[in-house]
Amino acid sequence: MDYGLITNILIVFAVALMVGMVFNRIRVPPLVAFILTGAIVGPYGFSIIQSQDQVASLAELGIILLLFTIGLEFSFRDLWKIRTVAFIGGALQLALSFVFFCSLAFFMGLSMNQAILMGFLFSLSSTAIVLKILHERGEMDSPHGSIALGILIFQDLMAIPMIMAIPFLASIPQFSPTPLLSYEALVSLIIYDLVIVLILVALAKWVIPRVMHEIARTRNQELFLLVVILTCFGVAWMVTFTGISLAIGALLAGLIISGSEYSHQAASIVLPFRDIFTSFFFISVGMLVDVRFLAAHFWFVLFLIAIAIFAKAMLATAAPLALGYPLRTAVMTGLALAQVGEFSFIIAQSGFDSGILPSEIYQMFLIVALLTMAATPFVIALRQPVT
C-alpha cells in the first residue's frame, strides 16, 4: 500500500485547514487558501510534499469533476432568460478585455502568441468566487447579480475554444504562413470530429436518458452513482480521440446529462467529490508559485495587479453600460468581475506545458492572478463609497 500518498493528503489537508481558518476570518475565498497551501508545502516553500506527481494526478481528477458539474448545472433555459446579457454583454466584455490585455502584453515585449494567450487569461473572471460572494450577500437575483451571472456563463463557454486554441498557438509561434495541417489531414480530422459529434448527439438524445431512467427505477443510489461516473469518464475518454482534453470531454458529458430530468440528482452526488478533488488542483497551482520570485519583483507585481483590477473593473463596467443599464448597476458589476478566473489557471498551465509561456512569465501570471482573486472581497466592498 502506498502510504506516501496518504501522508501527502494528510499534510495537504492539515495545512489547508489551518490556512483556511485564518483566511475565513478575513473573508478571503478558500480557493486562495488552497493556492497558498500549495505554495507552503511545495518546492518553493518548505518542500514538505515529496511526490508532486501524486498531487498533480488528484488535481487532474479535480478539474475533470469541476467541469463535469459545471456542465450538469448548466441550463440552456436559464441562459435563454438572460440571453441579451450573456451573449451581447458577455461578448462585449470579453472582446474589450481581450483587446486591452493582448495589446498591453504585446507592447510590453511579449511575442504575438504569448500576447494572445495573456488576452485569454485576463479576459476571464472567477465564476466560483463571484457567485459565492453574491450568494452570501443575497444578491444573486439583483440586477448586477444577473448581469454578472450572464457574463460569467458566457466566459465559461468561451474558455472551451480558448483551451482548444492552445495547440494552434504553440505550433505557430510567430504566425508563419505555413499551414497547420495538410488537406488530407484536415479532411480526416473534420470527419473524425463529425463522427464523435453524432455519437454524442445520439448518447444525449436516446441512450443516456433511457439508461438513467432504467437505473433510477431501481432506486439504487450506488448504481446511479456508477452510471453518472461512467458517463463522465466515458465521454471524456471518447472525445480525447479528437485531440480534446479529458476536462473538456467531462464538460460535454455534463452537458449531455444536464438535458435529462436526473441532472440535479447527478449533481448532488458528484458535488462533494468535486469540492475535494478541485482543492487539489488549486493546491497544485500553488506549488508552482515561487515566493522568492514575488519578493524579487514585488513592485512590478503590485503594478500589474493594480492595472489588472482597474482595467477589468472598467471594461466590465462598460458592457452593461452599453446595454443601457444604470451607472450604479454597471459599476457594481464591474467591481464584481475585477479578478482573474479559475479557468485562466487551466489555460495558463496548458500554455506553459506547450511551451508558449516561459517560466518567468508563468510565475508572474500565477502571482498576479492569485492576488487579484484574494482581493475580490475587498474590491467588491469598494462599491459602497463608489456608488
Side-chain angles (χ1 to χ4, degrees), residues 173-186:
Q174 301 302 327
F175 286 85
S176 67
T178 306
L180 282 171
L181 297 169
S182 65
Y183 176 76
E184 294 79 7
L186 182 60

Side-chain angles (χ1 to χ4, degrees), residues 198-209 255-257 259-260:
L198 290 174
I199 292 173
L200 291 176
V201 170
L203 287 173
K205 193 170 181 62
W206 295 293
V207 181
I208 290 178
L255 289 172
I256 288 173
I257 297 179
S260 76

Side-chain angles (χ1 to χ4, degrees), residues 10-141:
L10 286 174
I11 292 171
V12 163
F13 280 157
V15 176
L17 178 62
M18 290 185 287
V19 175
M21 289 176 66
V22 173
F23 275 34
N24 185 60
R25 287 184 176 273
I26 57 176
R27 300 182 66 80
V28 174
L31 206 136
V32 180
F34 292 139
I35 298 176
L36 183 59
T37 297
I40 292 171
V41 303
Y44 300 112
F46 294 100
S47 299
I48 301 172
I49 300 298
Q50 299 302 318
S51 178
Q52 294 178 51
D53 291 339
Q54 292 174 336
V55 176
S57 298
L58 294 172
E60 186 173 3
L61 184 56
I63 287 304
I64 290 171
L65 292 175
L66 172 64
L67 293 189
F68 179 59
T69 50
I70 286 175
L72 282 175
E73 295 168 349
F74 185 80
S75 170
F76 287 101
R77 291 192 206 93
D78 293 339
L79 180 61
W80 185 250
K81 293 176 184 176
I82 52 175
R83 57 190 180 277
T84 302
V85 172
F87 291 107
I88 300 178
L92 183 58
Q93 178 275 328
L94 203 71
L96 291 174
S97 299
F98 172 79
V99 170
F100 176 84
F101 286 106
C102 179
S103 303
L104 179 64
F106 185 72
F107 285 119
M108 289 179 71
L110 273 64
S111 64
M112 181 55 73
N113 59 345
Q114 290 173 346
I116 289 174
L117 185 57
M118 285 297 160
F120 288 166
L121 300 181
F122 283 95
S123 61
L124 301 176
S125 301
S126 174
T127 303
I129 290 177
V130 173
L131 295 189
K132 185 175 187 300
I133 292 175
L134 291 177
H135 181 73
E136 289 175 349
R137 292 171 172 265
E139 298 174 356
M140 284 299 299
D141 295 325

Side-chain angles (χ1 to χ4, degrees), residues 264-329:
H264 294 296
Q265 185 180 350
S268 66
I269 291 175
V270 177
L271 215 55
F273 298 100
R274 181 203 71 175
D275 292 341
I276 292 172
F277 286 106
T278 302
S279 66
F280 279 98
F281 169 72
F282 292 104
I283 289 168
S284 69
V285 168
M287 287 182 175
L288 301 172
V289 175
D290 189 347
V291 180
R292 291 167 295 182
F293 183 88
L294 171 60
H297 302 84
F298 180 77
W299 294 110
F300 185 58
V301 168
L302 207 61
F303 170 71
L304 291 178
I305 291 169
I307 288 180
I309 292 176
F310 180 76
K312 284 182 68 69
M314 294 296 292
L315 296 169
T317 298
L321 274 179
L323 294 176
Y325 286 93
L327 177 61
R328 184 175 185 274
T329 300

